[in-house]
Amino acid sequence: MTDTVRVLEHVRIAMRDGVALSATLWLPEQASPTARVPAILELIPYRKDDWRWASDMARMRYFAERGFAGCRVDIRGTGSSEGVALDEYTRDETLDGVALVAWLAAQPWCNGNVGMWGISYGGFTSIQVAAERPPALKAIAPMYATDDRYTDDVHYFGGCLTASDVAQYAVSQIAMNALPPRPAFAGPDWVQSWRARLEATPPWLLTWLRQQTDGPYYRQGSLAPDYERITCAIYNIGGWMDGYTNAAWRMHLRCPAPSRTLIGNWGHLLPDTAAPGPTVDYLDELVRFFGLWLRGDEAGFANEPDLIAFLREHTPPEPFPGLWPGRWQGYNRYDLAQAPQQTWWLKDETLTESAPASIASRSVTHQPAWGLNGPLASGAGASPNGLWRDLRIDDATALTYTSAPLGEPLDLLGMPVVNLTVSSDMPTTHLVARLSALDPEGTPCLISWGALNLTHRDSHAEPRALELGRVYAVRLDLKATGYRVAAGHRLRLTVATAHWPLIWPAPDQGALTVMTGGVSPARVSLPLAPVAQALPRALKATPPETHWEGAYDEQPSMWTITEDVLAGTSTVTIFGGDRQSLPNGTRLEASEHIRLTARPSAPESTSLANQVDYVLEQDGARVVIRSTGTITSDHERLVADLHLEVSLNDAPFFERDWQAEIPRNGC
């Protein structure tokens, strides 16, 4: 390990169309001037020169100290890179990644081998670039990313428009994309070039609202269904509480390339600090992985299971748990593909191990604000996005099917599947299912959940309204899970028509009827964990020495739920923010205030309001950004009203409004 690292900021790398991207390089000092090292690339829009400066410095220095060159690049149109950020995951952005891999491999200090990694957006770009098969890209480590941009991202769940997830990302990106390049890097004309970028950059949100069904827009940047496109080695890292767990699971089973996967309890945070724990030194994992594939280190992976997952155990309701009980288990891909399932049948209000002989039915009224005691967001676990509270409050107003106490433990690993026979008196209906385990006192612990817009029952590309009263057989895949149901605990399946504020409510009033028995009996199929493999080593749990520089503190968060009886509304209010001070004098403040309102007596009338504020002081300039956005709905339309205000040195600099009325296509 070397203690000497050379850092090169604002290295300009020209793309095929002349746009210059801005990179920071971390180069390890080698004992021999002829020595060559592999490179590790991260390509994201999250501002390497301020917002991500401290974390980039810590992580890339860690890699460089262990003999890798680190490279962090702002995607085109963000941070200090030239161009315009027209949308996320564009074709130009992917081709930029291919060019960056080739550029790194050709540098005189590089051994010709390149890896990519990243959490969330950087995981997406890693998968997307790998699917292009650039020759020098030998390995990728996507963390909390997806293989399918329609089914598993923050825009739609099972064809249902998201609420809390789109609220917390879409409007914030309007504000972040409005921040300027670093003045010291952009040159004397930085104000003019910044203004031109502001004029040309659209709000990504409007595109997402218009693209309500699967198709070419979401196939761009999606690996699915052509998993063989990736030939380099893959190390997927996921979290059971994160929103991208399904993608890690699918890629592990379907990608023919050499594949490793690590799944912990974590929400959408890095595994060395994420909650719920236990935490893992993921940087140590990445060094072993990239060391093997980029320079031939003997990392010992050949003797290890290719999937290491944490099988969690029952915990009482707690929105911000620090640690969950359970154990790390190892499994091999072949055994996972052959693992059996256990079927439980719905009968009256119970789950039974034999199919019922008689036909029965039960109905649940559409309640647009149902689900308030469940997780606040798909990647929840850390403030202000909490996990579930007491699910019995929700269960009291939904359909529940509960088993007898189990005689022995039941280990689950994979994606549960719910098959139901349903009818509805609403043309647009959402089906929501939760799987939980009840301890002997009746306290539920959430195992998994899922949602399906029933207009998408046959296709996410071509939704069709329900015929009122017609009976449909539908399949709902629940989120991947790893869970041990203890002996004496009971299984429960809960069925509802909403999950507020995770998904935007369906617009009609009415009820959903679930039928049991008959030709296609209602059932839930549980994936059983195969026999676990021995773990030859313990995962390192102590976070590494990361050399954080500067000061960072979070503002007090908010998560409140208000029931206004007179107005007939259920409103969730969220606030989060932080401040950073960097050694070069840069200061950045960021905050986001969100209000989500559902109306139980008027499910068509739902609203979202968001305000994002940034204050950036850098290189003698003071920039203040405020973006506000509202989305409202009625039966036919989504109405978006977005506003951006920018000031420079306390004087107005730029202002823009966007309005759009977008037809609801079954969402």
Side-chain angles (χ1 to χ4, degrees):
M1 187 171 76
T2 178
D3 294 327
T4 306
V5 176
R6 186 159 51 106
V7 182
L8 305 177
E9 295 191 88
H10 192 51
V11 177
R12 290 167 54 85
I13 306 174
M15 298 293 100
R16 69 202 179 284
D17 56 358
V19 169
L21 303 188
S22 179
T24 301
L25 295 175
W26 289 259
L27 302 179
E29 295 290 351
Q30 299 297 299
S32 167
T34 61
R36 302 288 185 266
V37 298
I40 299 175
L41 168 66
E42 185 181 17
L43 176 63
I44 56 176
Y46 303 138
R47 303 186 59 82
K48 63 181 176 57
D49 299 322
D50 40 68
W51 195 64
R52 279 283 302 268
W53 185 91
S55 57
D56 287 344
M57 284 288 176
R59 294 168 198 141
M60 288 300 190
R61 183 181 293 276
Y62 182 93
F63 290 141
E65 289 172 345
R66 287 152 182 82
F68 301 89
C71 179
R72 228 306 256 130
V73 181
D74 289 332
I75 69 168
R76 59 172 57 210
T78 69
S80 294
S81 288
E82 296 176 356
V84 178
L86 296 174
D87 197 358
E88 60 179 5
Y89 316 128
T90 64
R91 182 63 179 165
D92 281 339
E93 181 184 311
T94 301
L95 295 178
D96 289 346
V98 173
L100 289 166
V101 169
W103 184 89
L104 287 167
Q107 297 310 297
W109 40 259
C110 185
N111 70 356
N113 296 327
V114 180
M116 287 187 70
W117 90 287
I119 175 175
S120 198
Y121 204 113
F124 279 68
T125 58
S126 299
I127 294 169
Q128 291 156 4
V129 173
E132 300 296 320
R133 299 184 180 180
L137 186 62
K138 300 299 195 300
I140 61 170
M143 185 181 303
Y144 312 149
T146 193
D147 58 341
D148 194 312
R149 291 184 53 217
Y150 185 77
T151 62
D152 292 82
D153 200 2
V154 297
H155 315 316
Y156 298 90
F157 294 154
C160 309
L161 175 65
T162 67
S164 58
D165 277 18
V166 77
Q168 295 185 61
Y169 187 66
V171 178
S172 66
Q173 276 307 112
I174 296 173
M176 182 171 289
N177 287 345
L179 287 165
R182 181 173 177 183
F185 294 159
D189 297 330
W190 73 272
V191 173
Q192 289 77 14
S193 61
W194 176 33
R195 185 186 294 275
R197 190 162 86 180
L198 286 168
E199 293 281 359
T201 303
W204 300 350
L205 170 61
L206 297 184
T207 300
W208 303 340
L209 292 178
R210 292 186 176 105
Q211 298 289 342
Q212 295 173 23
T213 58
D214 200 358
Y217 176 79
Y218 291 107
R219 290 310 97 203
Q220 158 59 34
S222 290
L223 178 63
D226 302 320
Y227 290 90
E228 70 279 357
R229 286 189 292 158
I230 293 184
T231 56
C232 69
I234 308 167
Y235 194 168
N236 270 298
I237 298 180
W240 296 130
M241 294 301 104
D242 183 62
Y244 298 110
T245 321
N246 292 348
W249 185 260
R250 285 192 300 260
M251 286 182 64
H252 186 77
L253 293 179
R254 299 178 185 178
C255 286
S259 180
R260 300 188 57 76
T261 300
L262 174 68
I263 306 179
N265 290 328
W266 316 305
H268 201 68
L269 291 171
L270 290 163
D272 59 350
T273 58
T279 58
V280 165
D281 182 354
Y282 75 96
L283 288 174
D284 179 69
E285 290 293 305
L286 296 188
V287 165
R288 296 175 73 245
F289 172 70
F290 285 128
L292 172 64
W293 291 102
L294 304 185
R295 65 187 180 201
D297 294 356
E298 175 48 57
F301 283 144
N303 300 319
E304 297 182 8
D306 49 46
L307 171 72
I308 298 178
F310 193 85
L311 255 65
R312 59 190 181 92
E313 299 174 358
H314 191 280
T315 53
E318 184 180 359
F320 301 106
L323 180 69
W324 276 347
R327 62 204 184 284
W328 291 106
Q329 297 278 54
Y331 304 94
N332 288 321
R333 184 156 42 172
Y334 175 82
D335 294 332
L336 291 170
Q338 305 298 318
Q341 293 188 331
Q342 184 182 92
T343 299
W344 291 79
W345 310 88
L346 281 62
K347 178 183 179 182
D348 299 324
E349 298 181 13
T350 65
L351 290 177
T352 69
E353 296 184 76
S354 59
S358 59
I359 298 175
S361 65
R362 299 170 64 202
S363 297
V364 58
T365 301
H366 178 37
Q367 303 168 74
W370 188 88
L372 285 167
N373 287 279
L376 180 58
S378 67
S383 182
N385 291 318
L387 296 172
W388 64 89
R389 296 170 295 142
D390 193 339
L391 297 179
R392 287 173 291 192
I393 299 172
D394 291 342
D395 288 353
T397 56
L399 300 181
T400 60
Y401 303 88
T402 308
S403 75
L406 301 187
E408 57 185 24
L410 184 66
D411 285 354
L412 307 180
L413 185 64
M415 299 177 68
V417 177
V418 177
N419 289 93
L420 297 179
T421 303
V422 300
S423 66
S424 176
D425 55 14
M426 302 172 286
T428 299
T429 308
H430 295 164
L431 171 65
V432 172
R434 285 178 178 166
L435 180 67
S436 56
L438 279 60
D439 68 11
E441 287 72 42
T443 305
C445 180
L446 184 65
I447 298 175
S448 183
W449 79 284
L452 175 64
N453 182 339
L454 290 179
T455 70
H456 290 231
R457 61 196 177 275
D458 298 319
S459 168
H460 287 309
E462 298 178 353
R464 292 184 294 133
L466 298 168
E467 296 180 28
L468 304 188
R470 179 178 172 180
V471 176
Y472 297 94
V474 297
R475 169 184 169 134
L476 171 56
D477 293 347
L478 304 189
K479 189 172 178 289
T481 186
Y483 190 93
R484 164 164 279 200
V485 186
H489 289 207
R490 294 175 291 158
L491 291 167
R492 170 173 287 176
L493 183 71
T494 302
V495 177
T497 60
H499 204 316
W500 184 248
L502 281 170
I503 59 175
W504 203 272
D508 300 309
Q509 297 189 47
L512 175 73
T513 298
V514 176
M515 279 148 277
T516 56
V519 176
S520 180
R523 60 198 183 276
V524 55
S525 300
L526 303 180
L528 302 183
V531 176
Q533 307 295 309
L535 294 179
R537 66 181 176 95
L539 294 167
K540 289 179 64 175
T542 303
E545 178 62 42
T546 51
H547 304 289
W548 283 89
E549 300 178 57
Y552 173 87
D553 66 277
E554 292 188 356
Q555 301 180 47
S557 297
M558 176 192 301
W559 172 19
T560 65
I561 299 172
T562 304
E563 303 283 348
D564 189 326
V565 178
L566 292 178
T569 59
S570 296
T571 298
V572 178
T573 303
I574 314 164
F575 175 82
D578 57 61
R579 304 179 182 91
Q580 293 188 63
S581 297
L582 305 181
N584 61 13
T586 295
R587 292 185 62 254
L588 178 65
E589 296 183 14
S591 65
E592 184 170 28
H593 193 284
I594 301 168
R595 188 176 68 256
L596 304 114
T597 300
R599 291 167 174 78
S601 63
E604 76 282 1
S605 183
T606 303
S607 63
L608 170 163
N610 190 333
Q611 176 179 306
V612 177
D613 291 283
Y614 284 109
V615 179
L616 174 64
E617 296 177 1
Q618 190 174 62
D619 299 335
R622 174 181 167 84
V623 175
V624 178
I625 308 282
R626 170 166 289 179
S627 65
T628 58
T630 63
I631 304 173
T632 59
S633 66
D634 57 26
H635 273 102
E636 291 78 30
R637 305 171 302 162
L638 299 167
V639 179
D641 187 353
L642 311 175
H643 181 69
L644 175 66
E645 295 178 9
V646 181
S647 72
L648 174 61
N649 297 327
D650 299 319
F653 180 75
F654 181 84
E655 190 169 357
R656 173 66 62 83
D657 289 296
W658 298 270
Q659 288 90 26
E661 294 187 5
I662 300 167
R664 297 180 74 163
N665 185 12
C667 71

